Amino acid sequence: MGENMPVTLSQTTRADSFSDYIALSAYQANKLESRAAIASGKGSDTKLNTWFVPMPQQLSRITTHNYTQVETSFAYSLQKLSLPAGARSTGIPELDGTVQDLIGMAKGGLAKQGQGKALGDMAAMATGVAANAGMKLASGALGAVDMLKSQASMATDQPAIGMSNQELFYSGSVERNYTLAYDFVAKSHRDIYGENGVLNMIAQLEAYSFPRSYEDTISNRDLIATPPIWRMDHAVVGLGGEVSIPQQSAPLAYLGQPKLLVLYNVTAVHDTTSVVLDDIGNTYPLRTQLTLSFKEMEPVVRVDIGGEAQEASYGQITAPRLMCRSEIYALQDNDEGGG
């Protein structure tokens, strides 16, 4: 299923300029296995079409991660109190013994909770609750002492406040953005219209960014089919127009291992002050600026298989291999990460 569309730009322009292209493939897919196959480059019978677009003048990707401000964990607090620099005294002997007993109870509860199945799920949960309660009581007592000392320091030339127990904790990644920015100035009329023309490519990509009408006997026309999933690959176009997608790891040099993508923005700006005419008098803009914006649809992680990190390489560039969620779930015992 699916076909390769004609290569964008005329053969004359390609010969004078470059051979590096990007293959943009659209798939009508949704199932986990289909997503995994597309993301790993193993192919899928759900492909609609592939467009071969020139390497843009600017290709940017933005990677952003979310971190949330949280209180230090129960385990971290216990580790701090176990170290010489973190050991605490309230200054009240009668209270110190109780605090140390609570800390000891918390340590014991945490150790038992870690035994999990050996104790039974309910028992492990109960010890975890007790350990947490003990830690909170100990922390509360120590916090009250620190607050009193802080208030007393306000009457001196060196005020003091409690060390913050907050930190940033990873809470997920924002889907990566890919932006392909072009400024097309035609050398030939074939660069503009016809099957190799830029305008033809823009019109098709724009159309495929939309959902498709859908009809069945129950909902009639009240449903629509969601837009395609996209894949981005490095492609090489020869002087004769032959196309190859190198059988190697993801092209890190340009793309940075993109996975499952959605095409969420197509911006075309046409300069209408200079135009060309076809054989029947239709006019077309000589210069067009184009921006294609893609975003990954699934979370991405560094892959570790069997306790060993996997690598991806492109030329002289090597980096840890990335996989999307569907690829991870679809891994087989003997899978080494795909291409």
Side-chain angles (χ1 to χ4, degrees), residues 8-71:
T8 305
L9 297 182
S10 65
Q11 183 175 345
T12 301
T13 301
R14 293 198 304 271
D16 291 343
S17 302
F18 40 73
S19 60
D20 280 323
Y21 267 63
I22 293 179
L24 298 176
S25 301
Y27 297 84
Q28 198 67 56
N30 182 58
K31 295 190 298 184
L32 188 152
E33 293 85 353
S34 299
R35 293 189 189 187
I38 295 167
S40 61
K42 295 177 179 177
S44 171
D45 59 3
T46 64
K47 188 174 83 166
L48 302 174
N49 287 309
T50 295
W51 291 262
F52 297 98
V53 301
M55 194 64 70
Q57 283 92 336
Q58 289 187 324
L59 196 166
S60 63
R61 65 180 186 268
I62 300 175
T63 301
T64 306
H65 302 286
N66 288 325
Y67 283 82
T68 302
Q69 192 174 64
V70 297
E71 294 290 329

Side-chain angles (χ1 to χ4, degrees), residues 2 7 10 31 36 46 56 63 135 145 161 204 261-262 273 279 305 313 324 329 333 337-338:
V7 177
S10 65
K31 295 190 298 184
T46 64
T63 301
M135 192 64 229
V145 172
I161 62 173
Q204 291 190 16
L261 303 170
V262 294
T273 59
D279 296 337
I305 301 175
S313 60
C324 68
Y329 288 142
D333 291 340

Side-chain angles (χ1 to χ4, degrees), residues 69-81:
Q69 192 174 64
V70 297
E71 294 290 329
T72 52
S73 68
F74 166 38
Y76 181 92
S77 298
L78 274 178
Q79 293 162 16
K80 178 191 72 173
L81 291 169

Side-chain angles (χ1 to χ4, degrees), residues 275-290:
V275 298
V276 296
L277 280 73
D278 63 15
D279 296 337
I280 58 176
N282 294 320
T283 61
Y284 304 90
L286 184 67
R287 179 177 182 178
T288 294
Q289 293 176 314
L290 171 67

Side-chain angles (χ1 to χ4, degrees), residues 121-201:
D121 290 338
M122 293 304 296
M125 186 182 300
T127 56
V129 171
N132 194 35
M135 192 64 229
K136 285 185 176 180
L137 288 172
S139 297
L142 294 172
V145 172
D146 288 342
M147 183 181 66
L148 291 173
K149 293 191 68 174
S150 174
Q151 290 177 348
S153 74
M154 299 303 167
T156 71
D157 288 327
Q158 182 55 73
I161 62 173
M163 173 77 80
S164 173
N165 285 327
Q166 293 181 331
E167 62 187 27
L168 293 180
F169 193 76
Y170 178 75
S171 60
S173 298
V174 178
E175 292 76 13
R176 284 185 296 179
N177 275 280
Y178 289 83
T179 302
L180 283 60
Y182 297 91
D183 188 353
F184 291 110
V185 181
K187 293 183 178 181
S188 163
H189 67 277
R190 293 186 178 87
D191 294 335
I192 303 173
Y193 59 84
E195 65 176 12
N196 302 109
V198 167
L199 299 183
N200 193 56
M201 176 265 290

